[in-house]
Amino acid sequence: MCRVSRELSNFIRRDVLTGRAKFGISDDGKELYQVAMARAIARGDWRADYYRGHTLLLALGLIKVEDVLAQLYADAAADGFSRGRQMVGHHSTPTIDETGAWVNQLDSLNVSSGTSPTAGQMARGLGLALASKLYRTDSSIPSEGFSRDGDEIVWSEIGDASTSEGVFWETMNAAGVMNVPLVVTVVDDGYGISVPKELQTTKGSISEAMAGLKVDGTGSGIDIYKVKGWDYPALMDLYPKVAERARETHRAALVHVSELTQPNGHSTSGSHERYKSKERLTWEKEWDCLEQFRHWLIATEVADAGQLAELDKAAKKAVKESRKNAWDTFVGRLSAERDALLKLLPTNGQSNAAYERCREDLMGLEVPLLSEVVDACRRLRLAIGADNLPQPITQWLRDAQRRLSEQVGSDLYSDTEQSPLRVPTVPAVIDEDAKPVPGYQVLQDFFRAKLKQYPNMFAFGEDVGQIGDVNQGFAGLQEEFGKHRVFDTGIREWTILGQAMGMAMRGMRPIAEIQYLDYIFYAMSVLADDIATLRWRSAGTQSAPAIIRTRGHRLEGIWHSGSYLASLVSTCRGMHICVPRNMVQATGMYNTLLQGDDPALVVEVLNGYRLREQQPTNYADFTVPLGVPECLREGTDLTILTYGACVRVCLEAAELLEEQGIEAEVIDVQTLLPFDLEQRIVNQHLKNTNRLLIVDEDAPGGTSAFLSQQILEVHGGYQYLDAPVKTLTGAAHRPGYADEGDYASKPQVMDVVEAAIDLALF
């Protein structure tokens, strides 16, 4: 298997350098420890992968050589990891089926979809490992198909240089604090691309740098091991012991595999001869793990040189045949698509220069990618005019563009029966005589009901456990449901969200709290790169329906008044973003999300927890539909569109406007992603008022620009306007402290009134 993997790595490099593929990264020089690791992995274990690792999957029999090459070639039809959406080395195994139902995660190794950002897998791995601990802690958690008493280990690998990333340290510290079965292998070949580890790591050794975390006599800490990557007997002895201890104790482990090499360099983006000395290159050739393995096999008389030569020859032949099969299958499928279009082009005098040029362009494509064939057809349409393009060609082009769009763009959100967009709407039932209660009590009552209803629901974050969060939404619930259901974390936003993601991938329903929206930017990588993209990058074969709870908008000062949502709207496609105006609406959104299978971010109004609201009698069941704005006040002169904390501001402004003879309707967006799925704002409101004022607390050109683009461009609202769209936003600078800072930084009632008057008089 080692030789097969090495030959595969060699062909990956060759195919990139000869133009068959765009980019290659592989396992050369790093095969041996993976073969040893394969002996220690048990069914049900998980892998939080980085962008290497085909050796392990080949050794476990989970994949074939053709599978790796299909991803290398971006063969969407044959790439089972990502449907051509990720570069080679980013592996995954299905955790949900085509209906969105969970598959049995105990049948084999589960591979969480890999990502490229260095160390990005660490936070996800922490969450996957925490799930094992929770399954072992509480037998009442539904575990069928997910866990065998929490015995599952999470295996994570990371390049030595990537341990310089903050999330690596954050994860290892958290793993030691929480005692979770996370086994992290540090793959140390001495370099981070061209930068040597002496410039990356204190003492030039990650195991020495982390010595302070090593387990002590009290059992606190993590296990730390060091082994040479070319020492086969030591590797084979070590990994089963590491696995046995991690399964038994749930103590995290670091395995520092050193003295590895990279015969083909870091990747196909450059040659390592540019930055390594001749002495280093000579050393790498001698201490290549497969070269040393060969010496060991001969010295121990497991095999002789002749037998090994035959194995080398057989491996090269097998990989070469697999490569031919993968390439021929890929090109054959593409050629069939091109040929279908060629047959539609007119001949026998019905052709002209444009058709012949198109035919020549198509025949000149050595690898007729669907995108290139589609582009040639579009150029033909431009040349002869859309009205003159024969209907069969028009239909082919329409179908091909749809297929290409689905091939690349499907599965951004769930389209299963479990989609939150398909959750039935249950209106709130409010007793008019009900005494209003503070917003935090609304949340307490709701979360208590949900923790009773869902034994697999957990809530955690900074100050969430003992004191029930800084705004009391979970007050008293840790005592009622236990420290493993409602618990505190350290100040570590990145891994808080990683915990949520990993738990959600293993059948749990986590609600992870980021204390203030301003702090979510410490976790943007896991949020935007990992959680939001998971379903899409795995082509609908994995999901993580985590709910991220935070609070923003108005309070005091720069970092407690966050309303900067534009960056989230643009980078977190694949998640729902809910912006409830009060806590009752928030609970309705949580109800919807808990019944769905997509991840979401809920931004509660920071200054609304002590405001009193009438609590629905069906607070545990009522739902707020996503993507459906709500008209809170009718009007005929202009439409004011807003969300979150600005709703109360705009409603008060509308009352003052009425005194001035201006009837303004106020619409609460409710969710930014999705936005107004039925286009109600245009069809039911803008058609009548013909004027639009958008009010929000984001910076100028932020979320208001997104809302404007959706209404004018996507929904066609421009045709009903009698005046330009006006936006009223927060200031360009961060919000200032205290009353005057808020007044000058955020839209106030009189700002809305004056902007509305200007618009009404236009």
Side-chain angles (χ1 to χ4, degrees):
M1 186 53 63
C2 287
R3 288 308 313 177
V4 168
S5 178
R6 179 63 62 88
E7 292 302 329
L8 175 57
S9 294
N10 292 339
F11 275 118
I12 287 172
R13 181 172 180 81
R14 183 180 305 175
D15 279 348
V16 172
L17 297 181
T18 57
R20 279 192 174 185
K22 293 288 188 179
F23 179 81
I25 195 162
S26 54
D27 284 9
D28 49 293
K30 301 168 178 65
E31 298 92 352
L32 209 56
Y33 81 85
Q34 294 184 58
V35 172
M37 184 188 293
R39 300 289 183 92
I41 287 174
R43 290 187 303 166
D45 283 357
W46 276 81
R47 191 180 194 205
D49 205 1
Y50 79 142
Y51 40 77
R52 302 187 196 272
H54 64 242
T55 307
L56 175 66
L57 302 187
L58 288 168
L60 291 170
L62 293 178
I63 63 171
K64 304 187 300 295
V65 169
E66 287 88 344
D67 298 325
V68 177
L69 293 171
Q71 190 175 46
L72 176 70
Y73 302 145
D75 183 352
D79 171 18
F81 304 129
S82 66
R83 202 178 177 189
R85 297 171 187 182
Q86 293 226 71
M87 61 180 64
V88 71
H90 295 69
H91 311 119
S92 69
T93 55
T95 59
I96 56 174
D97 63 21
E98 61 277 3
T99 71
W102 294 107
V103 303
N104 190 335
Q105 297 179 0
L106 301 177
D107 287 342
S108 67
L109 174 68
N110 303 282
V111 181
S112 59
S113 178
T115 57
S116 291
T118 56
Q121 71 276 18
M122 296 299 299
R124 179 183 353 117
L126 180 70
L128 292 166
L130 177 58
S132 288
K133 176 179 180 176
L134 293 170
Y135 277 123
R136 180 173 291 182
T137 299
D138 187 351
S139 60
S140 69
I141 304 171
S143 62
E144 184 176 357
F146 295 109
S147 180
R148 296 185 185 91
D149 193 33
D151 284 346
E152 301 78 28
I153 292 174
V154 177
W155 301 85
S156 186
E157 295 164 65
I158 183 171
D160 180 70
S162 295
T163 63
S164 298
E165 295 279 7
V167 69
F168 169 79
W169 293 86
E170 189 176 315
T171 296
M172 297 310 298
N173 177 61
V177 169
M178 294 192 298
N179 278 340
V180 295
L182 175 65
V183 176
V184 177
T185 293
V186 177
V187 184
D188 181 1
D189 60 19
Y191 290 83
I193 304 184
S194 67
V195 180
K197 64 182 180 181
E198 288 75 17
L199 298 180
Q200 304 270 6
T201 308
T202 299
K203 300 182 179 180
S205 168
I206 190 59
S207 51
E208 292 185 28
M210 295 196 71
L213 295 183
K214 190 171 183 178
V215 65
D216 58 21
T218 68
S220 178
I222 67 173
D223 291 317
I224 297 179
Y225 308 90
K226 190 169 183 179
V227 65
K228 308 296 185 185
W230 47 262
D231 190 342
Y232 180 70
L235 289 165
M236 292 297 292
D237 179 65
L238 177 62
Y239 270 107
K241 291 180 179 178
V242 172
E244 182 180 7
R245 178 171 293 181
R247 287 188 210 283
E248 179 183 349
T249 66
H250 270 195
R251 189 162 59 231
L254 177 86
V255 181
H256 181 189
V257 182
S258 63
E259 296 191 13
L260 291 166
T261 64
Q262 45 181 13
N264 292 333
H266 172 267
S267 67
T268 55
S269 61
S271 170
H272 63 155
E273 285 84 357
R274 292 186 301 164
Y275 52 84
K276 290 179 180 175
S277 67
K278 290 183 179 180
E279 292 76 16
R280 173 69 191 193
L281 292 170
T282 300
W283 180 90
E284 288 200 10
K285 186 174 182 179
E286 179 181 354
W287 290 95
D288 182 310
C289 65
L290 296 195
E291 189 64 26
Q292 291 299 314
F293 188 34
R294 178 185 295 272
H295 294 329
W296 181 84
L297 290 171
I298 294 174
T300 57
E301 299 183 351
V302 174
D304 59 33
Q307 291 172 315
L308 294 178
E310 288 300 316
L311 286 174
D312 290 350
K313 188 183 299 183
K316 183 173 292 188
K317 180 181 179 182
V319 174
K320 189 174 183 179
E321 290 176 353
S322 295
R323 174 176 176 255
K324 184 178 186 305
N325 292 338
W327 183 252
D328 288 350
T329 299
F330 177 48
V331 175
R333 188 181 301 112
L334 297 176
S335 297
E337 191 78 66
R338 174 189 58 186
D339 293 346
L341 176 59
L342 283 170
K343 290 179 181 179
L344 299 176
L345 298 181
T347 57
N348 301 327
Q350 299 179 13
S351 183
N352 59 31
Y355 285 119
E356 291 307 311
R357 185 164 55 251
C358 179
R359 191 188 312 277
E360 290 175 5
D361 290 344
L362 291 172
M363 293 302 296
L365 295 173
E366 182 178 350
V367 182
L369 298 174
L370 180 57
S371 58
E372 294 180 318
V373 176
V374 164
D375 194 68
C377 191
R378 293 173 69 186
R379 291 173 184 271
L380 171 64
R381 182 177 61 183
L382 178 65
I384 68 174
D387 293 340
N388 297 321
L389 193 68
Q391 196 280 331
I393 298 179
T394 298
Q395 186 62 47
W396 180 93
L397 179 58
R398 185 181 298 117
D399 292 344
Q401 287 181 300
R402 175 185 52 79
R403 290 196 304 275
L404 185 58
S405 178
E406 291 178 354
Q407 172 183 309
V408 177
S410 67
D411 301 301
L412 183 59
Y413 292 93
S414 170
D415 61 359
T416 71
E417 291 300 316
Q418 295 79 41
S419 167
L421 300 184
R422 295 182 177 179
V423 172
T425 300
V426 178
V429 178
I430 297 179
D431 186 345
E432 293 184 1
D433 297 328
K435 183 179 180 181
V437 297
Y440 68 82
Q441 185 175 327
V442 172
L443 291 171
Q444 283 178 21
D445 292 344
F446 170 77
F447 287 132
R448 177 179 291 107
K450 294 295 106 175
L451 285 164
K452 288 179 180 178
Q453 180 180 351
Y454 296 109
N456 61 341
M457 175 179 152
F458 300 83
F460 53 88
E462 300 163 21
D463 299 304
V464 169
Q466 185 175 0
I467 68 171
D469 90 42
V470 293
N471 295 104
Q472 304 294 289
F474 283 95
L477 299 186
Q478 183 185 80
E479 183 177 355
E480 185 172 346
F481 292 95
K483 292 184 178 180
H484 68 289
R485 295 285 304 281
V486 181
F487 57 93
D488 290 313
T489 68
I491 301 176
R492 47 179 180 80
E493 286 80 9
W494 194 326
T495 47
I496 289 173
L497 297 196
Q499 286 177 202
M501 181 181 188
M503 292 167 65
M505 293 183 74
R506 295 190 62 185
M508 297 179 174
R509 295 312 307 258
I511 297 180
E513 179 176 310
I514 299 298
Q515 200 162 86
Y516 297 103
L517 180 64
D518 306 83
Y519 302 161
I520 207 164
F521 296 100
Y522 289 95
M524 277 298 289
S525 182
V526 66
L527 193 68
D529 293 334
D530 214 351
I531 297 175
T533 67
L534 177 64
R535 184 183 292 272
W536 173 81
R537 73 176 190 263
S538 67
T541 63
Q542 295 190 354
S543 70
I547 297 175
I548 313 304
R549 176 185 180 232
T550 189
R551 51 191 66 87
H553 310 306
R554 302 191 177 209
L555 191 64
E556 297 290 351
I558 299 175
W559 293 287
H560 297 81
S561 303
S563 295
Y564 297 102
L565 288 161
S567 56
L568 296 166
V569 169
S570 61
T571 59
C572 292
R573 304 298 173 97
M575 296 183 68
H576 301 291
I577 298 182
C578 304
V579 282
R581 63 182 178 269
N582 56 35
M583 304 312 153
V584 168
Q585 291 302 104
T587 59
M589 293 174 184
Y590 285 125
N591 262 329
T592 300
L593 295 169
L594 284 168
Q595 296 177 58
D597 60 355
D598 273 332
L601 172 68
V602 180
V603 185
E604 297 168 6
V605 176
L606 186 51
N607 63 358
Y609 294 104
R610 298 194 178 278
L611 297 179
R612 293 182 175 271
E613 305 177 35
Q614 284 190 306
Q615 187 175 37
T617 57
N618 62 339
Y619 64 85
D621 303 306
F622 99 95
T623 59
V624 172
L626 307 185
V628 180
E630 182 178 0
C631 182
L632 302 177
R633 190 184 195 281
E634 295 183 350
T636 56
D637 294 320
L638 78 155
T639 297
I640 300 177
L641 184 67
T642 190
Y643 60 88
C646 281
V647 169
R648 287 195 301 117
V649 173
C650 291
L651 286 172
E652 184 178 343
E655 296 295 325
L656 294 178
L657 287 167
E658 184 179 20
E659 296 175 5
Q660 301 298 314
I662 297 174
E663 294 294 335
E665 66 176 357
V666 178
I667 298 176
D668 179 7
V669 170
Q670 301 211 94
T671 63
L672 296 173
L673 295 177
F675 172 74
D676 193 8
L677 294 173
E678 299 172 352
Q679 302 186 13
R680 292 187 179 189
I681 293 169
V682 170
N683 295 325
Q684 298 180 16
H685 303 284
L686 206 55
K687 274 186 177 181
N688 301 321
T689 65
N690 310 118
R691 285 170 169 78
L692 177 62
L693 171 63
I694 299 174
V695 181
D696 84 323
E697 300 181 14
D698 204 343
T703 307
S704 59
F706 164 73
L707 296 174
S708 179
Q709 182 265 346
Q710 290 288 300
I711 292 169
L712 299 184
E713 183 179 333
V714 179
H715 298 176
Y718 67 91
Q719 59 190 311
Y720 302 111
L721 292 177
D722 291 339
V725 172
K726 190 174 185 63
T727 62
L728 177 62
T729 70
H733 56 73
R734 292 293 187 97
Y737 177 59
D739 291 346
E740 289 192 353
D742 176 83
Y743 194 85
S745 304
K746 303 274 189 173
Q748 306 297 324
V749 172
M750 286 308 301
D751 296 325
V752 178
V753 169
E754 291 169 358
I757 291 174
D758 288 345
L759 187 59
L761 296 177
F762 181 86

